[in-house]
Amino acid sequence: MTTNRFLKKAMRVSRSYSRRLPDRAGHWFKWLSPGLLVKRWMFISVSGILMVLLGVAIWSRLTPVFYIMQFSGELLELITSLVPNYISGPLVLILGLLLVFWGQTRTFGSITEVLMSDRDEDLVDVLISHRKLNRGAKIVTIGGGTGLSTLLRGLKGISANITAIVTVADDGGSSGRLRREIGVLPPGDIRNCIAALADEEKLLTELFQYRFKAGDGLAGHSFGNLFLTVLSDITGDFERAIAASSKVLAIRGQVLPATLSDVKLWAEFADGRYVEGESSITEARGKIVRIGCKPENPPALPKAIDAIEDADYIVIGPGSLYTSVIPNLLVPEIAEAIAARQVPCIYICNIMTQPGETDDYSVADHIRAIDQACGQQLFDSVLVQKTPPSSKALLRYAQEQSRPVDLDPDRVMQLGRRVIRANIMTEDEETGYVRHDSRKLARVILRWYERSRR
């Protein structure tokens, strides 16, 4: 009985190992993938070892080499006299290959254990992903608010060469309080974009987005906003504070403010009202006929212009039309840099109208508002949601005086734009709210970019 149990256990182990063997072989074949920058350095290392041995041999006038060769020859003659060469040769070859495989397995296993101790991925998979992302297209995104951060969460999965140019016109909530009380540029939209591009230290990201619920002077503030504010004071530069925060969260790409000027939005309404302040414009609830900022022509951040000039693809939006998208384009150098680029440039239109800002706006109205604010045509295509939200969502938004943004293709064509229709929406079944889906957006944008290169 003991022998039978032993045999059954051995057979189970054998079957288990045979199932794992193809997986292990496939795993090690990944190291042969091109572009990992591993094989060439291993080859160079082996070549270096051989050259060191050759140098020692030459330096010692080949004396050790002679004796080693003599000893090896005698040993081989002895082995072949005891075991035929057609048996001993393959055995030694197999033994050598097994030793090489075992040594490399243990080497890379030790490296993985140190570098990847807190991650489930294999080191080779991380290297392949890292190489793929670093070879991704250079994408520049322009906007602000939750729309831009939603887009960035999807894009970071297809490229590490992302630059987010973010508005600094916000004057509401925590950002507005810090702006008024301390004089720092509003950090809220910057913080959201940094968190969206984080790769992905979950605890640090949650900490960065944490919002205080109590405390004199703390309630309503997010930790990330305070962190950026403190760093700005320490470094003396808001741009350096953003760069330092980006390193802490190990983000893919970079986040840049459109300008370092203290920008304040203003708007003229159809009924003759003149309103200043981003939050006040939304609360005013009226038809905007003209929008601008103070100072009138804020200088762009040089790095933002460099990123646009080096971009393979430019994405504008999504986000609040007058308070997230257009403020970036009121920086003349940014608008001029985009207009000068002969690369694909796409505008992602909002799914729903925004009460107090884009009431009854169609897709063409969004495009015309951007053209009017910039004084020129910046993008050649517009991405719109293909199917309408559910009846539950429509009812939910109707209570807030909001509805889907109508597509008027003839007017869009007259404005010289191409329409791209795709299902890029996700809907919350409990609340009925809709928003852009990060992954769907990224897939459509990547597909459109690849088509435009053909």
Side-chain angles (χ1 to χ4, degrees):
M1 292 295 292
T2 304
T3 304
N4 289 337
R5 281 199 300 269
F6 175 79
L7 289 173
K8 289 179 180 178
K9 183 176 181 181
M11 290 174 67
R12 284 198 302 270
V13 171
S14 176
R15 284 196 297 268
S16 175
Y17 182 77
S18 64
R19 284 195 298 267
R20 290 200 305 268
L21 191 59
D23 294 336
R24 291 180 64 84
H27 169 77
W28 282 102
F29 270 115
K30 289 181 181 178
W31 287 104
L32 301 178
S33 301
L36 287 184
L37 300 180
V38 172
K39 300 181 296 298
R40 69 190 69 177
W41 300 120
M42 289 181 63
F43 176 76
I44 290 173
S45 299
V46 171
S47 300
I49 292 171
L50 292 176
M51 290 184 69
V52 168
L53 294 175
L54 180 60
V56 171
I58 295 172
W59 196 1
S60 59
R61 297 184 179 181
L62 302 179
T63 303
V65 176
F66 172 76
Y67 288 116
I68 291 172
M69 294 294 292
Q70 187 180 38
F71 174 76
S72 300
E74 293 174 356
L75 180 63
L76 288 173
E77 286 182 7
L78 177 62
I79 292 174
T80 53
S81 65
L82 298 175
V83 183
N85 62 341
Y86 58 84
I87 296 177
S88 59
L91 283 176
V92 173
L93 178 63
I94 292 171
L95 178 61
L97 291 174
L98 287 175
L99 288 174
V100 170
F101 180 76
W102 184 37
Q104 293 301 314
T105 301
R106 299 299 297 174
T107 298
F108 287 115
S110 299
I111 294 172
T112 302
E113 186 178 349
V114 173
L115 298 181
M116 312 290 294
S117 58
D118 58 343
R119 298 179 66 167
D120 296 330
E121 297 176 274
D122 290 321
L123 179 60
V124 63
D125 293 325
V126 173
L127 287 173
I128 291 172
S129 175
H130 177 76
R131 194 67 178 165
K132 179 183 176 182
L133 291 173
N134 282 346
R135 289 180 171 179
K138 296 175 183 176
I139 304 173
V140 170
T141 62
I142 298 170
T146 56
L148 181 58
S149 56
T150 297
L151 172 65
L152 294 176
R153 286 190 192 94
L155 289 181
K156 74 178 182 181
I158 63 176
S159 177
N161 301 312
I162 303 170
T163 298
I165 299 176
V166 188
T167 176
V168 287
D170 187 11
D171 64 357
S174 170
S175 292
R177 287 168 57 191
L178 292 171
R179 183 175 182 176
R180 289 188 298 271
E181 296 170 7
I182 301 178
V184 69
L185 288 177
D189 288 347
I190 300 282
R191 181 200 80 239
N192 286 331
C193 291
I194 291 175
L197 288 174
D199 181 34
E200 166 119 354
E201 289 290 342
K202 192 172 185 298
L203 181 60
L204 282 176
T205 304
E206 289 179 357
L207 176 65
F208 211 63
Q209 294 288 65
Y210 177 80
R211 193 172 293 276
F212 293 95
K213 298 177 178 63
D216 292 339
L218 282 177
H221 281 303
S222 73
F223 176 82
N225 284 359
L226 297 177
F227 185 75
L228 283 167
T229 301
V230 172
L231 270 182
S232 295
D233 188 49
I234 291 173
T235 63
D237 189 320
F238 190 58
E239 183 183 355
R240 291 179 185 172
I242 296 171
S245 301
S246 300
K247 287 182 179 179
V248 168
L249 292 181
I251 74 168
R252 295 178 184 172
Q254 61 178 342
V255 178
L256 303 173
T259 178
L260 293 178
S261 297
D262 186 15
V263 174
K264 188 174 187 179
L265 289 181
W266 58 262
E268 292 179 0
F269 291 82
D271 57 10
R273 287 179 297 161
Y274 173 87
V275 177
E276 290 188 353
E278 181 258 4
S279 56
S280 300
I281 290 172
T282 302
E283 293 171 359
R285 289 185 172 268
K287 182 175 178 57
I288 298 172
V289 295
R290 191 162 167 250
I291 191 165
C293 66
K294 295 180 179 179
E296 187 173 350
N297 296 307
L301 188 73
K303 281 188 178 180
I305 301 301
D306 292 342
I308 294 172
E309 292 176 346
D310 199 34
D312 297 320
Y313 197 10
I314 299 173
V315 183
I316 300 174
S320 300
L321 177 63
Y322 287 106
T323 54
S324 292
V325 174
I326 288 180
N328 295 285
L329 306 176
L330 294 176
V331 181
E333 292 171 283
I334 288 181
E336 290 166 6
I338 297 172
R341 296 290 288 131
Q342 298 298 316
V343 296
C345 183
I346 190 170
Y347 167 58
I348 303 174
C349 191
N350 292 336
I351 300 171
M352 308 296 293
T353 60
Q354 186 171 349
E357 191 165 328
T358 56
D359 298 289
D360 300 322
Y361 268 41
S362 66
V363 174
D365 292 327
H366 282 75
I367 296 171
R368 190 173 57 252
I370 295 174
D371 289 351
Q372 183 179 346
C374 304
Q376 55 190 323
Q377 181 175 319
L378 301 185
F379 53 90
D380 45 45
S381 305
V382 57
L383 176 59
V384 298
Q385 168 61 22
K386 188 175 184 179
T387 57
S390 67
S391 55
K392 178 182 178 180
L394 292 175
L395 180 61
R396 180 74 176 81
Y397 276 96
Q399 296 171 355
E400 299 178 0
Q401 298 181 330
S402 177
R403 61 174 181 78
V405 176
D406 291 330
L407 174 61
D408 39 1
D410 293 336
R411 291 178 62 201
V412 172
M413 292 294 288
Q414 289 174 2
L415 292 170
R417 275 24 178 245
R418 180 175 179 178
V419 177
I420 305 167
R421 299 175 185 170
N423 288 316
I424 50 176
M425 179 186 71
T426 183
E427 184 174 329
D428 191 314
E429 294 182 0
E430 294 183 4
T431 64
Y433 283 114
V434 300
R435 63 183 185 277
H436 284 103
D437 185 279
S438 299
R439 294 183 179 178
K440 292 178 182 178
L441 265 182
R443 283 197 297 266
V444 172
I445 286 173
L446 179 62
R447 188 162 60 244
W448 178 248
Y449 168 69
E450 290 175 344
R451 278 185 192 169
S452 65
R453 295 175 62 192
R454 295 172 185 169

